[in-house]
Amino acid sequence: MVDGRFVLNLLWLVLAGFWMFLAYLVVGVLWCITIIGIPFGVASFRIGLFALWPFGRTIVQKSSPVRPTYMGFGLVSARRRSPRQRPAPDWTARVLFTDDGTGLQRRPCSSRWDSTLRAGMRPLRGPHGPLQPGVGARVVSWAEGLPTSLGKGEIMRLPRSVLLVAATALALSGLSSAARGDSHWRTTCSGGDIASGTYQTLRITGECTVPVGAEVIVVHNLVVEPGAQFIADTAPSTVHIGGNVRAYHGSFLGLGCTAAHGCEGGTTFSDTTVDGNVNLRYVFDAAINGVEVGGNVRSQGGGAGFVFEQGGFIPFSVKDDVIHGNLVVKGLKTTWFGVIRSQIDGNVILKYIKNDDPDGNEIVHDMIGGNLTCRGMSPAPQFGDADDDPTLPADYPYSTVGGRVSGQCRFVLNPNT
């Protein structure tokens, strides 16, 4: 028959005990580093071991507790007396000494020395008396029993039924989340389709696609590791990210499917939101289209390089978005780049973006709440073919900017307004 205390300890270890043990272990190490806090560190280690496997053990008072340790700084005055009793200079030194109740602990003095100690010592005190961490108490098994009446510092033994109820409640609370069919915690996708569901965090290490009609909710962060691909821009789907999006070296991030990108000719588009920031560092490419971002969108370096003359076309697009923070793109080298029909509530900073498509670096029909800065862009920012469509209003390509426009992007302002 399995011992009930073993089952309770095992459940406790999995749900909470291990993390409590680690916490007390870290605190104990920090205390020991200070040297003077070693007693507190030892006490933390003892409590941590108790918290790791508590059922079947308890804490009782020691039968002969040690008197409080006294600690203080004092002055030692020593006068050396020569055989002829001639006076000698006085030396004064500061010393640290302790008293454990059996008398002052010090080094024995030579018979040729007169030593006098002068100090005022006080015990370290807590709210209920002298503080002696880890001393005066010990951990024992239940088999040793406890007093029938409660005294100061003693713990009453709980009925076994109460312990069973408490352990069952802990187990149910820990297993309830795992029992939910739509929850996946700390998930890593190494390739294939991402199933509909709720994820605590989602880490992409391969080529992962959000299929048509899927509903993917990420409670915290989406992380696209170097060389991986997150493809959610080719078919209508629902993607909600409660935290940040981070994509790294050589990766691809595709968010959002609109009539201008991914859903051409369709009538159903994606519903994509990011509550935090989108941070791209040296990515191969990114397509952010029809996405609402609660924070900033920042891209540093990266790009697919110049492949236009070889027949390649790899666009880095920011289209039909609502960005409540800033848009910052720097050091990008790719085929084509554009910011089109997007609302940016903060500033837009575009610097050192190189395209080998002559129609690249399009800045068209945007609403910018802050400043617009464009520097070092090649080719120079332009409307491109946006003003070639005769069905569009004549002032369609122009943008509105609430702040100042500087650098190469002065053309975006309508000269008639």
Side-chain angles (χ1 to χ4, degrees):
M1 181 176 180
V2 179
D3 188 356
R5 284 173 295 190
F6 174 79
V7 176
L8 296 177
N9 278 314
L10 188 61
L11 290 174
W12 174 256
L13 177 68
V14 173
L15 297 176
F18 179 71
W19 303 110
M20 291 182 66
F21 168 74
L22 286 183
Y24 278 112
L25 182 64
V26 171
V27 172
V29 171
L30 294 177
W31 270 115
C32 290
I33 291 175
T34 66
I35 304 302
I36 197 173
I38 289 178
F40 296 93
V42 173
S44 296
F45 296 149
R46 290 175 179 172
I47 298 173
L49 291 174
F50 179 73
L52 185 67
W53 200 264
F55 294 100
R57 297 192 296 173
T58 187
I59 300 174
V60 299
Q61 285 187 333
K62 285 186 176 179
S63 58
S64 56
V66 180
R67 289 179 56 185
T69 296
Y70 287 76
M71 181 176 294
F73 285 94
L75 298 177
V76 176
S77 297
R79 172 169 295 180
R80 180 178 181 180
R81 297 181 181 272
S82 67
R84 297 182 182 180
Q85 300 297 317
R86 289 181 300 184
D90 289 347
W91 293 274
T92 301
R94 189 176 297 273
V95 298
L96 176 69
F97 53 87
T98 62
D99 180 11
D100 62 359
T102 62
L104 184 65
Q105 303 297 311
R106 55 176 181 169
R107 294 179 179 271
C109 294
S110 170
S111 60
R112 297 170 61 93
W113 292 77
D114 253 318
S115 300
T116 305
L117 296 178
R118 301 191 301 271
M121 297 182 294
R122 296 290 185 273
L124 301 177
R125 300 187 65 84
H128 303 294
L131 180 61
Q132 183 69 9
V135 178
R138 61 195 178 101
V139 178
V140 300
S141 65
W142 284 109
E144 296 185 41
L146 287 173
T148 56
S149 61
L150 288 178
K152 183 178 179 181
E154 296 174 345
I155 300 178
M156 180 172 59
R157 182 174 182 175
L158 297 176
R160 183 170 299 179
S161 59
V162 176
L163 296 178
L164 289 174
V165 171
T168 303
L170 287 173
L172 291 177
S173 64
L175 297 176
S176 60
S177 60
R180 291 176 2 198
D182 61 344
S183 297
H184 309 274
W185 306 100
R186 298 180 180 88
T187 302
T188 298
C189 175
S190 58
D193 289 347
I194 300 175
S196 297
T198 300
Y199 301 82
Q200 184 78 2
T201 60
L202 184 57
R203 179 170 168 261
I204 308 299
T205 60
E207 183 178 339
C208 299
T209 303
V210 177
V212 58
E215 182 175 346
V216 175
I217 299 174
V218 181
V219 178
H220 294 297
N221 300 325
L222 169 67
V223 180
V224 185
E225 297 291 352
Q229 299 181 49
F230 180 76
I231 304 171
D233 64 327
T234 59
S237 60
T238 299
V239 177
H240 295 301
I241 301 169
N244 302 317
V245 175
R246 299 193 299 269
Y248 295 103
H249 187 277
S251 64
F252 170 74
L253 174 68
L255 284 176
C257 166
T258 67
H261 186 98
C263 294
E264 291 92 341
T267 58
T268 304
F269 309 131
S270 292
D271 177 12
T272 307
T273 60
V274 178
D275 292 346
N277 303 312
V278 177
N279 294 309
L280 313 176
R281 294 192 57 83
Y282 301 96
V283 299
F284 176 78
D285 191 32
I288 304 173
N289 304 285
V291 180
E292 182 175 2
V293 180
N296 305 313
V297 175
R298 298 179 181 273
S299 176
Q300 177 67 45
F306 293 164
V307 296
F308 184 73
E309 293 183 357
Q310 290 76 37
F313 184 74
I314 303 177
F316 191 114
S317 59
V318 180
K319 297 181 180 179
D320 303 300
D321 298 313
V322 177
I323 301 173
H324 295 292
N326 302 318
L327 171 63
V328 181
V329 181
K330 296 181 180 180
L332 181 66
K333 182 179 180 181
T334 190
T335 305
W336 182 94
F337 171 79
V339 182
I340 300 176
R341 294 182 303 274
S342 293
Q343 173 188 326
I344 300 101
D345 295 340
N347 302 317
V348 175
I349 301 175
L350 309 174
K351 292 185 176 181
Y352 311 111
I353 301 174
K354 312 294 185 181
N355 297 165
D356 63 343
D357 181 356
D359 193 39
N361 283 334
E362 293 188 20
I363 313 296
V364 180
H365 198 66
D366 297 309
M367 296 178 58
I368 301 171
N371 302 320
L372 173 60
T373 302
C374 302
R375 301 188 188 280
M377 301 177 68
S378 176
Q382 58 184 314
F383 291 141
D385 56 3
D387 54 356
D388 294 343
D389 189 347
T391 63
L392 297 174
D395 61 350
Y396 168 78
Y398 297 107
S399 300
T400 59
V401 181
R404 185 178 62 180
V405 179
S406 60
Q408 298 171 288
C409 285
R410 298 181 185 276
F411 74 95
V412 303
L413 299 177
N414 191 338
N416 299 322
T417 59

